[in-house]
Amino acid sequence: DRYYNLYQFNELGLSWCPIFKSGSSTWRNYFQDRVGVGGGDYHIKYIADRQLNKKGSTVNGRLLYLYETRGNKRFTLTRNPLARMISLVKNSVKDKEMLDKKSDWIYDCILTSRASRVKQKALDGLYKIEFDHYFTWLKNKREGKFEITEGNPYLDPPYPELQDLITFVIKTNKEDGHWTPGSVFCNVCVNKFDYIIKLEEEPLELWYLVDKLGLWDDRELFLNKANSSFKKLSEKDILQNTLDGLPNSHRAWVNKHFKGDFELFGYEELPMRGS
């Protein structure tokens, strides 16, 4: 049976479903600090044993999972799906992210999405070798100067962009939690959440959630360490800045792929150019 990515924190009376790039690191770090796991290292693997992936009984129309306390409040945070993808590619600019996620998606994403931009096919092999050397250069802490051959599309720019990511997913159908619709990753119909908060409404909805979950005394953790959204551009600004360069084919894919998120969570579909 498929599991639905819920994690139990029975000592806090909570069950949480993380939607990637929707404040999931914030809450993961908070829970690790709160329940004392990980020894200061932050990774989902340190709370893996809390994942609820075995069905139990059904009570009042809600499926309970084995080892989940009956009275737990279930919650998740959502975010505009396009903003989630934007956040993923913006984060990939960092050298560490480029190296850590190279084999997961970044390397294949760039090669797949930019192959059509190679004007001289005879140079394709050279371009790819140079692209490989770029990762070695990053691994060596950018020692020395890295020369990029003019016309090498794999290094222009040397990190993935939103159009690259969308093109890659369209061509390969690769599955990954970072671009899985939140409505699928945290199945609303199956899990019957008590609270679903939209990340865009921070801090008001966040404080409402923290209060309702009985975590009000810990709110300083979200301000001082975990939550930095007040320092960033608004989601509206980020979306508009990126949307300007997105072709209709990509907009149509986003609208179809994330149809459930748009409908369930009240986000607006992307408008088509010229409409």
Side-chain angles (χ1 to χ4, degrees):
D1 289 334
R2 176 173 182 163
Y3 59 85
Y4 290 97
N5 305 301
L6 273 175
Y7 292 79
Q8 62 81 10
F9 298 91
N10 291 335
E11 61 269 57
L12 301 176
L14 303 174
S15 295
W16 165 64
C17 185
I19 296 177
F20 292 170
K21 311 310 293 184
S22 301
S24 56
S25 296
T26 292
W27 285 88
R28 176 204 65 199
N29 296 354
Y30 165 73
F31 280 129
Q32 288 187 210
D33 286 343
R34 191 70 163 75
V35 300
V37 298
D41 295 322
Y42 294 102
H43 197 281
I44 202 74
K45 67 183 180 183
Y46 292 112
I47 54 174
D49 61 342
R50 292 172 177 266
Q51 190 172 48
L52 298 166
N53 56 12
K54 295 181 180 180
K55 293 181 179 180
S57 57
T58 299
V59 178
N60 296 326
R62 184 163 89 165
L63 172 67
L64 293 181
Y65 293 88
L66 200 61
Y67 309 121
E68 180 185 24
T69 299
R70 176 178 294 190
N72 277 12
K73 294 177 182 177
R74 293 180 180 174
F75 77 99
T76 188
L77 282 85
T78 71
R79 187 181 188 185
N80 185 297
L82 182 61
R84 289 175 54 206
M85 298 189 80
I86 293 171
S87 178
L88 177 63
V89 294
K90 284 175 69 70
N91 198 47
S92 69
V93 174
K94 303 173 184 176
D95 290 359
K96 185 178 186 304
E97 192 73 8
M98 284 285 289
L99 293 170
D100 289 349
K101 301 300 181 182
K102 174 188 175 183
S103 60
D104 288 352
W105 68 276
I106 289 178
Y107 186 82
D108 288 340
C109 172
I110 291 177
L111 289 184
T112 300
S113 62
R114 299 183 189 173
S116 62
R117 289 169 49 187
V118 177
K119 296 180 180 179
Q120 299 183 55
K121 298 302 180 182
L123 295 177
D124 188 56
L126 173 64
Y127 290 156
K128 289 177 178 177
I129 291 173
E130 191 172 79
F131 186 49
D132 287 333
H133 289 169
Y134 178 75
F135 284 94
T136 302
W137 182 65
L138 292 182
K139 189 175 182 180
N140 292 332
K141 310 293 185 183
R142 293 178 174 260
E143 183 178 342
K145 185 178 180 180
F146 189 83
E147 298 289 347
I148 298 177
T149 301
E150 184 178 355
N152 188 342
Y154 306 126
L155 291 167
D156 182 25
Y159 48 80
E161 296 184 305
L162 180 63
Q163 292 193 39
D164 294 323
L165 176 56
I166 295 177
T167 299
F168 171 63
V169 180
I170 290 174
K171 287 186 174 182
T172 65
N173 291 315
K174 180 178 174 62
E175 295 185 0
D176 188 285
H178 288 92
W179 52 81
T180 297
S183 54
V184 173
F185 202 76
C186 292
N187 192 300
V188 175
C189 297
V190 171
N191 288 325
K192 298 187 182 300
F193 292 100
D194 296 289
Y195 300 103
I196 298 175
I197 295 295
K198 297 171 77 170
L199 192 72
E200 293 84 357
E201 302 302 325
E202 289 185 342
L204 294 180
E205 285 200 7
L206 175 64
W207 295 145
Y208 174 85
L209 178 64
V210 168
D211 182 35
K212 289 299 180 181
L213 296 181
L215 307 177
W216 188 249
D217 290 343
D218 294 333
R219 63 190 180 279
E220 291 299 322
L221 284 176
F222 293 93
L223 276 178
N224 297 333
K225 177 180 179 181
N227 181 46
S228 60
S229 61
F230 66 92
K231 300 175 183 177
K232 303 174 184 175
L233 288 173
S234 70
E235 290 281 62
K236 183 177 180 181
D237 291 335
I238 293 173
L239 288 172
Q240 188 56 56
N241 291 343
T242 306
L243 193 60
D244 290 341
L246 205 61
N248 279 344
S249 59
H250 286 49
R251 296 177 190 223
W253 177 86
V254 169
N255 288 341
K256 181 179 180 181
H257 185 70
F258 293 108
K259 182 178 176 62
D261 285 18
F262 289 126
E263 293 179 348
L264 281 173
F265 304 135
Y267 295 111
E268 294 183 3
E269 291 190 349
L270 305 187
M272 294 295 111
R273 277 179 166 175
S275 60

